[in-house]
Structures are given as structure tokens and as C-alpha cells.
Amino acid sequence: MDLQALLDDLAAEAAPFAAQGKVADYIPALAAVDPARFGIALATVDGQLFGSGDWRAPFSIQSVSKAFSLALVLAGDGETLWKRVGREPSGNPFNSLVQLEYEKGIPRNPFINAGALILIDRLLSQTGDSLGTLRAFLRAESGNPAVDLDPEVAASEAAHGHRNAALAHFMASCGNLENPVERVLDHYVRQCALTMSCADLAKAGLFLANHGLRADGSRLLTRSEAKRINAIMLTCGTYDAAGDFAYRVGLPGKSGVGGGILAVLPERGVLCAWSPALDLHGNSVAGVEALDRFTTRTGWSVF
Ligand code: GLU
């Protein structure tokens, strides 16, 4: 199969879909991004890299970061993590306060914002520096030592982060936060403000297609832990549209409001699509469409 030609076709077909979505504007710095941009990259487990469109352009990875922080936390905590956070789809918006109150401060899964705050809390307790640990990991796995955060995006989110602060304070009031709220929130907004390209993210995610083995051959996760992260990505990784994403794309995926989506092709590789215009659930319209077309044309899905 000519994978380069396929990605070029997907990039050429993206424009009408990008025009259907809307760029996230609740974090003002994200609203400035051109909605017409589109990139897609594929990194394979045998070391090949393909890409088309804006696949080398850095963008705000936002919640795509949560797949990586879950991997790092699970590697350290193992099954005890699940005392602090659940692993069921939420069926609610990613920043919902109501569900957290009903469920007594235990977030439904690690990918909604409350759950991601728990991951940061655990990584802070494990390492003393959640952001630094994650950034070093992403640099190593992507092979790009320049991976870093955009301070303007971090400041913009920090200034508008009342809802995440409410989630963190509520969990603290339930005894489900080990570190000070302000410290957890600071690491959270800086983590979400990391900027990476489709190429960087596809390479960084390869351990998920490779049963937990890192780029240098060392083991981050057991085979079974890598399976579990892919399962949580499939069921919870694309907001409350995870069912539709599974129906259309048929791969574990994690999206972010910056317009990025990481999708894992087990034992084959990792795809990353980016296009900033989002649907009502927060997933990139052109990104989901491109991934749908990719798995439809290749037949490469987990189903
Ligand atoms: N930093 C964003 C927030 O907390 C991340 C949202 C996302 O990408 O899902 O609202």
C-alpha cells in the first residue's frame, strides 16, 4: 500500500470538513489559530514516518497529553491508581462539575478534566515534577529535544481556568488530592500548553502500538498495561463522542481541544491528525474524518 499517497489524498480532501467546525475559543489563545490548517502523520513500529499537509507544524496538544500522563502514572502506580479515578466513559462534557459531585470526588475516568487533575496529582507525588517528567518523556520518545510549552497558551488558560479550579477544589474537599490545588492546576495548564507536531506525537505514541516498549527498547508498561491504556482511549478518549469515534474510526484515540487526535494501530503504528476546527463535542471535524477514511481505505482498525 502506498501510505504516502494515501496521506496526501487525505490532506487534499480535508478542507470542506475543516470549514464545518469551530476553533475552541474558551481558551482565548487557541482562538487565534487558523481553522483551515490540516496535518496528518503516521509513524510505524518498524521506524518509518509519513506525513502530509501541516504535519510538521507545532500545535497545542491540550488533552492529547492525558494519554501520556496516564501511561506514566500507571507505570508507577499500577492498579492502585483506580482507587482515585474510575475507568468508565462519562457521557458528560469533559469539564462537568455535576457528575463529580454525585460521585463524591472520584472522577469517572482519567481523560475528563477532573481525572486528568488526579493524574497530575499522582505524578507530582511520584516525581515532584509532573510537567518536567512528562516533557522529558515526550522529548525522548519523539526524538525532538525542542518539545516545550507555549507560555502564552498556559497563561491564557490559567486566566480562564475557573472551572478546572472548581473541579480541583471539590476533589480536595473530598480528600482526593494529595498536593495543593494551585500546584496541581499550574502543572495542568502547562501540560496542556505543550506544543508538538503530528510527527512528534505519532512518534511519541509508538509505545502504545508496541505493547509498552519505548523508543530505546526499554519497557515503560507491561503488555497488559499498554492494552488497558488503549482500551481506555477507545472508550473514553474522544470526550462524550467516544462511541461515535469507535464506530467511525475503530481505533483507540485521544483528542484535544487544540484539534489534535492521536490514534493507535496496534502492532502497526500511530496516526496523528490535526485540524483546529472542532465539532460540538470538542473533536476535530477534519481530523476524525481523515482517520475514518484512513481505516476505511486500509482496513486497519481493531475491529
Ligand atoms: N486545557 C483544556 C481544559 O482544561 C483541555 C481540554 C481538552 O483538550 O480536552 O479545558
Side-chain angles (χ1 to χ4, degrees):
M1 185 164 331
D2 187 343
L3 292 168
Q4 183 59 50
L6 174 55
L7 297 191
D8 288 340
D9 284 350
L10 298 177
E13 294 162 12
F17 299 98
Q20 287 170 26
K22 193 168 164 306
V23 173
D25 56 6
Y26 75 102
I27 300 171
L30 293 182
V33 183
D34 176 3
R37 302 196 76 179
F38 176 88
I40 186 162
L42 169 67
T44 65
V45 292
D46 59 5
Q48 300 182 78
L49 183 64
F50 305 91
S52 196
D54 296 315
W55 67 298
R56 297 261 187 210
F59 61 88
S60 189
I61 70 170
Q62 294 295 321
S63 285
V64 180
S65 65
K66 296 168 185 173
F68 297 97
S69 44
L70 175 59
L72 293 174
V73 172
L74 197 66
D77 276 5
E79 292 290 305
T80 60
L81 172 63
W82 306 118
K83 295 195 171 84
R84 303 277 312 277
V85 59
R87 48 175 193 258
E88 288 292 341
S90 76
N92 275 308
F94 62 93
N95 52 9
S96 168
L97 288 155
V98 177
Q99 190 168 50
L100 190 63
E101 183 166 16
Y102 278 131
E103 298 181 357
K104 303 193 168 45
I106 306 288
R108 187 60 83 86
N109 70 61
F111 292 153
I112 54 174
N113 285 9
L117 292 165
I118 294 292
L119 296 178
I120 284 170
D121 188 45
R122 280 306 303 143
L123 206 51
L124 277 170
S125 296
Q126 282 180 17
T127 68
D129 182 1
S130 173
L131 173 75
T133 304
L134 177 67
R135 180 171 48 196
F137 177 78
L138 293 171
R139 285 177 178 171
E141 298 308 295
S142 67
N144 179 1
V147 167
D148 216 335
L149 58 102
D150 179 339
E152 195 197 325
V153 173
S156 180
E157 178 165 355
H160 295 82
H162 302 299
R163 201 172 257 270
N164 289 330
L167 295 168
H169 279 290
F170 185 74
M171 291 190 291
S173 81
C174 298
N176 196 20
L177 220 54
E178 295 158 354
N179 293 277
V181 164
E182 291 68 27
R183 190 162 153 71
V184 173
L185 290 170
D186 173 50
H187 281 255
Y188 176 80
V189 295
R190 289 190 293 141
Q191 164 172 328
C192 290
L194 286 165
T195 64
M196 294 172 75
S197 68
C198 293
D200 293 335
L201 276 169
K203 286 166 79 178
L206 276 174
F207 68 98
L208 290 169
N210 231 347
H211 300 301
L213 287 182
R214 294 185 59 171
D216 65 2
S218 65
R219 183 166 285 290
L220 175 69
L221 302 168
T222 66
R223 212 180 156 95
S224 140
E225 286 167 341
K227 175 192 79 176
R228 296 185 197 294
I229 290 179
N230 282 322
I232 296 170
M233 287 172 70
L234 182 76
T235 52
C236 311
T238 42
Y239 309 112
D240 49 340
D244 193 57
F245 186 82
Y247 177 83
R248 292 183 59 193
V249 178
L251 294 174
K254 183 72 204 86
S255 56
V257 295
I261 313 178
L262 186 80
V264 181
L265 298 144
E267 296 183 351
R268 289 185 195 272
V270 174
L271 276 164
C272 180
W274 170 57
S275 182
L278 309 178
D279 64 20
L280 291 176
H281 298 290
N283 296 312
S284 166
V285 179
V288 175
E289 181 66 30
L291 295 174
D292 179 348
R293 290 175 182 222
F294 182 95
T295 54
T296 302
R297 290 183 199 172
T298 57
W300 293 353
S301 86
V302 298
F303 300 110

